[in-house]
Structure formats: C-alpha cells, structure tokens
Amino acid sequence: MEGLGKERHDMGESFPMTGGNGYYSYFKNSDVQRTAVEMAKSMILRWIIEHLDLEEASFSLFTIADLGCASGPNTFIAVDNIVQGVINKYKSKSYSNLPEFQVYFNDHTANDFNTLFANLPSDLGYFAAGVPGSFHGRLFPKSSLNFVYSSSALQWLSRTPKELSELNSSTCNKGRIHYANASNEVGKAYSAQYAKDMECFLAARAEEIAPGGLMAMIIPSRPDGTLPSQCALSHVFSLVESSIIDMVNEGIVSKDQLDLFNLPLYSPSEEELRALVEKNGYFSFAEFETHEFSMPLPSAEFIRAALENLIRNSFGSEITEQIFDRYSAKFAEISRDTAAHCSSIGFIFLLKRRRI
C-alpha cells in the first residue's frame, strides 16, 4: 500500500473544467467534444465486436473506466456506446447471460462530481462510481479493468514544462501562452513533458487493464512530419493570447505574468504516439484512424468552460473576467465565414493489452 500511495502523490497540477450547469459551465459548453464522441460511436461498436475477447466462461462483471470524464453529459453517451457494444458482442456469440456492468468515472479531485452524478441517466444499465485522481498515475487495482476509454482529455499535460518558468532561459515562451508558433526549444520542452506523462499513463494502465482488455482514445493531434510549433490548435487559443497581450500593453497585466503563463496542452503526432506505445511494450494497436474536421473558432463560453479555472489560478478573478470580456469582443469582430473554416485533426484508436 505504501508504494501505491507514493504513485498517487505529486501527480502534477489540477485543471478541472468549469463546474455546475450554468451558462459558462462545461456541462453546457462541450458540444465540440460531443461531436468527437458521436463520430466515434460506430467505430467503438465495431471495434468491440472485432477485438473484445470473451473467455469461455464469459464475464460475470464487466468493468469500464472513463478517464477525464469531466462533469458530463458527454461521458454518459460514451459509456452507453461501450455498454451497448459489449452487449452486442455477447449476443453475437449467443451467450445466454449478460454480465453486470461497473462503470468508473474518473477525473481530478477538483472535478465537479456533484454535477456529474446529479445528471446520471435515470435508466442506468450499470453501477456507477466516481474515482478522483490524476490518470497519469495508478487509480485501480491490478487487472481490474476490461475497457478503458478517454476522449478529449489526454491532450492535457500533468503540468506545463518546468523549463518554461525560467524567464532568462531560451526555453521561456515569451509573449505566448502556448507552444504553437513558438521556438523549437519550447516545442521540444512540451514534447518531452508529453512523453513523460504518456509513459506514466501507459505504465499505470498496463497494471490496471486485464490481459486482453481494450483501451479506446480520442486525442487532438497533428500530422507526422510537422513540428510541435505547427500544431493546428493555435487558432483555438489565439484570441485568449491576444486579449492578454492587450492587457500587458495597457499595463493591466505584467509582462512576466504573460511570459510565465503557458497552457498545459499538447497535440502529438502519430509517430510520437506509436513510439511511446512501443516503448511501453504492454499494448498493441488494434485500430488507428485519423480524422480531419472543421470547427468554428471557439466562443468565449466554450473557452471559458475549459480554461477558466486555469486562468483564474494564474491571474486572479478580476483579470480573468476582463480576459473573457475582451475575448467576447474580439470574437464578435470576426466574420462568420472566417470563424467557420478552422481545420484540425484527431486520432481515434484502440489499444489491446497484451497477454504477457
């Protein structure tokens, strides 16, 4: 138990989505994430049929974990898809008895689990439990999970790279809040932090997922052969960055505050992901698909739902309100045609726990 406690300790910073179900909440402003969940539905159903191994005696209890579930409602859609996929698999094999389902909803300890569970569907086909903690470390007993799922969550780092906090260093990301369009040194620091975090994530899941178990993930990404600085997410954060820069120029925010504020988000390439999975050695790629999609420049409500707590912790409540007021004003100045043609790519893939 001492070792497990140590693994849970110091798992980085916490970046919960805006809680509740109010106007600026994640619950009301996660349509983009929902699109990814709905796009993956047919793939998840097919992949379970094709890749889920049923032992001769089958499962009496099938365990599912959604890592980075936030406060709903998208996690309920995803879980229902997985449960239905498993039921379809059982029926395809003519098993007479279906398993019971245990679903674990995981996110940071500061996540709004109250809103999550207050909005659980009334017709649950599973037992539900919350598991607080960072998914970059161990969360479950060994070999206790049959299916792990994570959508629009693994782009979050456990922390921003520590090198970025050195103001006199070439790695300091001066005048920016993200590595997009930044120097190679900044991009490498982000890439190294992502590799470290994913190594921890995969090592933890290798312990927790039973041999033959599956893990499906949806992650914002970038094409092979591109530098981290060429990340397509740059447009998503451009108005936040320019709002803060305006406030620096007006003397409302100090330059050092801007230089030390960096978003803990990273979009990997397929090459990076495959190398990390291969290095771990406990998983194989069962399926891998790349999807390109268009999304509008995000509204202030969407950005606020995702970044409000992070920005508030760095700049304080008053400055945060001003940042989003400015964001709204800038957003209103952009024509609808311009805002509607932002393209991005994402990976949807399935890993299978090797029987080692």
Side-chain angles (χ1 to χ4, degrees), residues 85-123:
V86 176
I87 291 173
N88 292 346
K89 176 74 173 189
Y90 268 72
K91 290 181 177 179
S92 73
K93 296 295 183 181
S94 299
Y95 280 107
S96 57
N97 295 321
L98 295 176
E100 293 187 304
F101 292 92
Q102 173 69 63
V103 176
Y104 299 107
F105 296 95
N106 157 259
D107 213 306
H108 283 289
T109 55
N111 182 60
D112 186 2
F113 285 100
N114 287 335
T115 294
L116 176 75
F117 287 110
N119 288 279
L120 275 172
S122 58
D123 56 343

Side-chain angles (χ1 to χ4, degrees), residues 177-292:
I177 66 170
H178 193 237
Y179 65 89
N181 302 316
S183 68
N184 287 337
E185 289 81 3
V186 171
K188 288 178 180 177
Y190 267 93
S191 182
Q193 183 65 52
Y194 179 78
K196 180 180 178 180
D197 286 347
M198 278 300 291
E199 286 174 6
C200 292
F201 175 88
L202 291 169
R205 304 296 84 78
E207 294 280 350
E208 298 165 351
I209 299 175
L214 302 176
M215 180 160 59
M217 291 184 277
I218 305 173
I219 305 178
S221 53
R222 72 176 200 279
D224 279 341
T226 60
L227 295 172
S229 61
Q230 295 171 298
C231 163
L233 287 178
S234 59
H235 65 272
V236 176
F237 310 119
S238 61
L239 296 188
V240 178
E241 185 175 274
S242 67
S243 296
I244 299 174
I245 290 174
D246 288 349
M247 295 174 74
V248 170
N249 292 336
E250 294 171 23
I252 301 170
V253 172
S254 73
K255 186 175 182 302
D256 286 355
Q257 279 183 294
L258 168 61
D259 292 344
L260 291 175
F261 177 71
N262 292 278
L263 297 174
L265 292 155
Y266 184 80
S267 298
S269 66
E270 179 178 344
E271 183 179 30
E272 283 177 292
L273 270 177
R274 289 189 178 275
L276 289 166
V277 172
E278 182 177 348
K279 181 179 179 180
N280 172 269
Y282 285 91
F283 295 95
S284 60
F285 279 97
E287 300 281 352
F288 196 104
E289 296 192 17
T290 302
H291 291 263
E292 184 171 352

Side-chain angles (χ1 to χ4, degrees), residues 12-325:
E13 304 169 26
S14 179
F15 317 113
M17 303 296 99
T18 300
N21 57 5
Y23 187 72
Y24 297 116
S25 67
Y26 180 87
F27 191 90
K28 292 286 181 65
N29 294 283
S30 54
D31 289 348
V32 172
Q33 294 90 332
R34 184 179 308 165
T35 298
V37 172
E38 292 172 344
M39 179 177 64
K41 178 180 179 178
S42 61
M43 285 175 271
I44 295 294
L45 293 174
R46 174 172 57 83
W47 291 350
I48 290 174
I49 289 288
E50 295 177 358
H51 297 285
L52 179 64
D53 293 335
L54 297 182
E55 301 295 339
E56 290 184 8
S58 77
F59 300 97
S60 60
L61 178 67
F62 194 92
T63 54
I64 300 166
D66 182 357
L67 306 183
C69 65
S71 53
N74 298 335
T75 184
F76 305 136
I77 300 172
V79 166
D80 284 345
N81 293 341
I82 296 166
V83 169
Q84 186 58 55
V86 176
I87 291 173
N88 292 346
K89 176 74 173 189
Y90 268 72
K91 290 181 177 179
S92 73
K93 296 295 183 181
S94 299
Y95 280 107
S96 57
N97 295 321
L98 295 176
E100 293 187 304
F101 292 92
Q102 173 69 63
V103 176
Y104 299 107
F105 296 95
N106 157 259
D107 213 306
H108 283 289
T109 55
N111 182 60
D112 186 2
F113 285 100
N114 287 335
T115 294
L116 176 75
F117 287 110
N119 288 279
L120 275 172
S122 58
D123 56 343
L124 278 186
Y126 51 83
F127 297 97
V131 179
S134 169
F135 54 50
H136 292 109
R138 282 287 301 278
L139 294 164
F140 305 95
K142 287 188 176 183
S143 300
S144 62
L145 300 177
N146 303 120
F147 197 105
V148 169
Y149 173 86
S150 183
S151 176
S152 303
L154 274 169
Q155 72 272 21
W156 286 92
L157 302 173
S158 67
R159 56 170 57 85
T160 54
K162 292 182 178 179
E163 304 94 308
L164 272 61
S165 63
E166 301 171 6
L167 287 171
N168 295 322
S169 168
S170 61
T171 313
C172 182
N173 194 23
K174 294 185 177 181
R176 298 182 179 87
I177 66 170
H178 193 237
Y179 65 89
N181 302 316
S183 68
N184 287 337
E185 289 81 3
V186 171
K188 288 178 180 177
Y190 267 93
S191 182
Q193 183 65 52
Y194 179 78
K196 180 180 178 180
D197 286 347
M198 278 300 291
E199 286 174 6
C200 292
F201 175 88
L202 291 169
R205 304 296 84 78
E207 294 280 350
E208 298 165 351
I209 299 175
L214 302 176
M215 180 160 59
M217 291 184 277
I218 305 173
I219 305 178
S221 53
R222 72 176 200 279
D224 279 341
T226 60
L227 295 172
S229 61
Q230 295 171 298
C231 163
L233 287 178
S234 59
H235 65 272
V236 176
F237 310 119
S238 61
L239 296 188
V240 178
E241 185 175 274
S242 67
S243 296
I244 299 174
I245 290 174
D246 288 349
M247 295 174 74
V248 170
N249 292 336
E250 294 171 23
I252 301 170
V253 172
S254 73
K255 186 175 182 302
D256 286 355
Q257 279 183 294
L258 168 61
D259 292 344
L260 291 175
F261 177 71
N262 292 278
L263 297 174
L265 292 155
Y266 184 80
S267 298
S269 66
E270 179 178 344
E271 183 179 30
E272 283 177 292
L273 270 177
R274 289 189 178 275
L276 289 166
V277 172
E278 182 177 348
K279 181 179 179 180
N280 172 269
Y282 285 91
F283 295 95
S284 60
F285 279 97
E287 300 281 352
F288 196 104
E289 296 192 17
T290 302
H291 291 263
E292 184 171 352
F293 56 93
S294 294
M295 60 177 288
L297 191 68
S299 66
E301 293 80 16
F302 174 88
I303 288 292
R304 187 164 185 160
L307 302 181
E308 179 177 13
N309 287 319
L310 178 63
I311 293 175
R312 192 179 301 279
N313 288 341
S314 296
F315 295 97
S317 297
E318 183 179 345
I319 297 299
T320 298
E321 292 297 330
Q322 293 184 53
I323 290 172
F324 286 115
D325 285 345

